[in-house]
Coordinates of all heavy atoms in Angstrom, one line a residue:
S82 N -20.2 -5.7 -5.5 CA -21.2 -4.9 -6.2 C -20.7 -4.4 -7.5 O -21.0 -4.9 -8.6 CB -21.7 -3.7 -5.3 OG -20.5 -3.0 -4.8
Y83 N -19.8 -3.4 -7.5 CA -19.3 -2.8 -8.8 C -17.9 -2.3 -8.6 O -17.4 -2.0 -7.5 CB -20.2 -1.6 -9.2 CG -20.6 -0.7 -8.2 CD1 -19.7 0.3 -7.7 CD2 -21.8 -0.7 -7.6 CE1 -20.0 1.2 -6.7 CE2 -22.1 0.2 -6.5 CZ -21.2 1.1 -6.1 OH -21.6 2.0 -5.1
L84 N -17.2 -2.3 -9.7 CA -15.7 -2.0 -9.7 C -15.6 -0.4 -9.7 O -16.4 0.2 -10.4 CB -15.0 -2.6 -10.9 CG -15.0 -4.1 -10.9 CD1 -14.5 -4.6 -12.2 CD2 -14.2 -4.7 -9.7
G85 N -14.6 0.0 -9.0 CA -14.4 1.5 -8.9 C -14.7 2.1 -7.6 O -14.3 3.2 -7.3
G86 N -15.5 1.3 -6.7 CA -15.8 1.9 -5.4 C -16.6 3.2 -5.5 O -17.5 3.4 -6.3
K87 N -16.2 4.1 -4.6 CA -16.8 5.4 -4.6 C -16.6 6.3 -5.8 O -17.2 7.3 -6.0 CB -16.4 6.2 -3.3 CG -16.8 5.5 -2.0 CD -16.4 6.3 -0.8 CE -16.7 5.6 0.5 NZ -15.8 4.4 0.7
A88 N -15.6 5.8 -6.7 CA -15.3 6.6 -7.9 C -16.2 6.1 -9.1 O -16.2 6.6 -10.2 CB -13.9 6.4 -8.3
F89 N -17.0 5.0 -8.8 CA -17.9 4.5 -9.8 C -19.0 5.5 -10.2 O -19.5 6.2 -9.4 CB -18.5 3.2 -9.3 CG -19.6 2.6 -10.1 CD1 -19.4 1.8 -11.2 CD2 -21.0 2.9 -9.8 CE1 -20.4 1.2 -11.9 CE2 -22.0 2.3 -10.5 CZ -21.7 1.5 -11.6
S90 N -19.3 5.6 -11.5 CA -20.4 6.4 -11.9 C -21.4 5.5 -12.6 O -21.1 4.4 -13.1 CB -20.0 7.5 -12.9 OG -19.4 7.0 -14.0
H91 N -22.7 5.9 -12.6 CA -23.8 5.0 -13.1 C -24.7 5.7 -14.1 O -24.7 6.9 -14.1 CB -24.6 4.5 -11.9 CG -25.3 5.6 -11.1 ND1 -24.6 6.3 -10.2 CD2 -26.5 6.1 -11.2 CE1 -25.5 7.2 -9.7 NE2 -26.7 7.1 -10.3
D92 N -25.4 4.9 -14.8 CA -26.5 5.4 -15.7 C -27.7 5.6 -14.8 O -28.1 4.7 -14.0 CB -26.8 4.4 -16.8 CG -25.6 4.3 -17.7 OD1 -24.8 5.2 -17.8 OD2 -25.6 3.3 -18.5
V93 N -28.4 6.7 -15.0 CA -29.7 6.9 -14.3 C -30.7 6.1 -15.0 O -30.9 6.2 -16.2 CB -30.1 8.4 -14.3 CG1 -31.4 8.6 -13.6 CG2 -29.0 9.3 -13.6
P94 N -31.3 5.2 -14.2 CA -32.2 4.2 -14.9 C -33.4 4.8 -15.7 O -33.9 5.8 -15.2 CB -32.8 3.4 -13.7 CG -31.7 3.5 -12.6 CD -31.2 4.9 -12.8
G95 N -33.6 4.3 -16.8 CA -34.8 4.7 -17.6 C -34.7 6.0 -18.3 O -35.8 6.6 -18.6
T96 N -33.5 6.6 -18.4 CA -33.4 7.9 -19.0 C -32.9 8.0 -20.4 O -32.8 9.1 -21.0 CB -32.5 8.8 -18.1 OG1 -31.2 8.3 -18.0 CG2 -33.1 8.9 -16.7
A97 N -32.4 6.9 -21.0 CA -31.9 6.9 -22.3 C -33.1 6.9 -23.3 O -34.0 6.2 -23.2 CB -31.0 5.7 -22.5
R98 N -32.9 7.8 -24.3 CA -34.0 7.9 -25.4 C -33.3 8.1 -26.7 O -32.3 8.8 -26.8 CB -35.0 9.0 -25.1 CG -35.8 8.8 -23.8 CD -36.9 7.8 -24.0 NE -37.8 7.9 -22.9 CZ -37.6 7.3 -21.7 NH1 -36.5 6.7 -21.5 NH2 -38.5 7.4 -20.7
G99 N -33.9 7.7 -27.8 CA -33.5 8.0 -29.2 C -32.1 7.8 -29.5 O -31.4 8.6 -30.2
G100 N -31.5 6.7 -29.0 CA -30.1 6.4 -29.2 C -29.1 7.2 -28.4 O -27.9 7.0 -28.5
R101 N -29.6 8.0 -27.5 CA -28.7 8.7 -26.6 C -28.3 7.8 -25.4 O -28.9 6.9 -25.1 CB -29.4 10.0 -26.1 CG -29.8 11.0 -27.1 CD -30.5 12.2 -26.5 NE -31.1 13.1 -27.5 CZ -32.3 12.9 -28.0 NH1 -33.0 11.9 -27.7 NH2 -32.8 13.7 -28.9
L102 N -27.2 8.3 -24.7 CA -26.8 7.6 -23.5 C -27.8 8.0 -22.3 O -28.4 9.0 -22.4 CB -25.4 8.0 -23.1 CG -24.3 7.7 -24.1 CD1 -23.0 8.3 -23.7 CD2 -24.2 6.2 -24.3
A103 N -27.8 7.1 -21.3 CA -28.6 7.5 -20.1 C -28.0 8.7 -19.5 O -26.8 9.0 -19.6 CB -28.6 6.3 -19.2
L104 N -28.7 9.4 -18.7 CA -28.2 10.6 -17.9 C -27.1 10.0 -17.0 O -27.3 9.0 -16.4 CB -29.3 11.3 -17.2 CG -30.4 12.0 -18.0 CD1 -31.5 12.5 -17.1 CD2 -29.7 13.1 -18.8
P105 N -26.0 10.8 -16.9 CA -24.9 10.3 -16.0 C -25.1 10.6 -14.6 O -25.2 11.8 -14.2 CB -23.7 11.1 -16.6 CG -24.3 12.3 -17.1 CD -25.7 12.0 -17.6
G106 N -25.1 9.6 -13.7 CA -25.2 9.8 -12.3 C -23.8 9.5 -11.7 O -23.0 8.7 -12.2
E107 N -23.6 10.1 -10.5 CA -22.3 9.9 -9.8 C -22.6 9.7 -8.3 O -23.5 10.3 -7.8 CB -21.4 11.1 -10.0 CG -21.0 11.4 -11.4 CD -19.6 10.7 -11.8 OE1 -19.0 10.1 -11.0 OE2 -19.2 11.0 -12.9
H108 N -21.6 9.0 -7.6 CA -21.6 9.0 -6.2 C -21.4 10.4 -5.7 O -21.9 10.8 -4.6 CB -20.5 8.1 -5.7 CG -20.2 8.2 -4.2 ND1 -21.0 7.8 -3.2 CD2 -19.1 8.7 -3.6 CE1 -20.5 8.0 -2.0 NE2 -19.3 8.6 -2.3
G109 N -20.6 11.2 -6.4 CA -20.3 12.6 -6.2 C -19.4 13.0 -7.2 O -18.6 12.2 -7.8
F110 N -19.3 14.3 -7.5 CA -18.4 14.8 -8.6 C -17.0 14.5 -8.2 O -16.6 14.6 -7.0 CB -18.7 16.2 -9.0 CG -18.3 17.2 -7.9 CD1 -17.0 17.6 -7.6 CD2 -19.3 17.8 -7.2 CE1 -16.7 18.5 -6.7 CE2 -19.1 18.7 -6.2 CZ -17.7 19.1 -5.9
R111 N -16.2 14.2 -9.2 CA -14.7 13.9 -8.9 C -13.9 15.2 -8.9 O -14.1 16.1 -9.8 CB -14.2 13.0 -10.0 CG -15.0 11.7 -10.1 CD -14.5 10.6 -9.2 NE -14.9 10.8 -7.8 CZ -16.1 10.5 -7.3 NH1 -17.0 10.0 -8.1 NH2 -16.4 10.7 -6.1
F112 N -12.9 15.3 -8.0 CA -12.1 16.5 -7.8 C -10.7 16.0 -7.6 O -10.4 15.2 -6.7 CB -12.6 17.3 -6.6 CG -11.7 18.3 -6.1 CD1 -11.0 19.2 -6.9 CD2 -11.5 18.5 -4.7 CE1 -10.1 20.1 -6.5 CE2 -10.7 19.5 -4.2 CZ -10.0 20.3 -5.1
F113 N -9.8 16.4 -8.5 CA -8.4 16.0 -8.5 C -7.5 17.2 -8.2 O -7.0 17.8 -9.1 CB -8.0 15.3 -9.8 CG -8.9 14.2 -10.2 CD1 -10.1 14.3 -10.8 CD2 -8.5 12.8 -9.9 CE1 -10.9 13.3 -11.1 CE2 -9.3 11.8 -10.2 CZ -10.5 12.0 -10.8
P114 N -7.2 17.5 -6.9 CA -6.4 18.6 -6.6 C -4.9 18.5 -7.1 O -4.5 17.3 -7.5 CB -6.3 18.6 -5.1 CG -7.5 17.8 -4.6 CD -7.7 16.8 -5.7
G115 N -4.3 19.6 -7.3 CA -2.9 19.5 -7.8 C -1.9 18.8 -7.0 O -0.9 18.3 -7.5
C116 N -2.2 18.5 -5.7 CA -1.3 17.8 -4.9 C -1.4 16.3 -5.0 O -0.6 15.5 -4.5 CB -1.4 18.2 -3.4 SG -3.1 17.9 -2.7

Side-chain angles (χ1 to χ4, degrees):
S82 52
Y83 44 79
L84 298 171
K87 298 181 184 69
F89 171 83
S90 59
H91 62 276
D92 294 340
V93 179
T96 59
R98 296 285 190 281
R101 301 177 187 85
L102 300 174
L104 293 174
E107 298 265 3
H108 167 73
F110 66 78
R111 305 272 74 84
F112 167 42
F113 302 85
C116 60

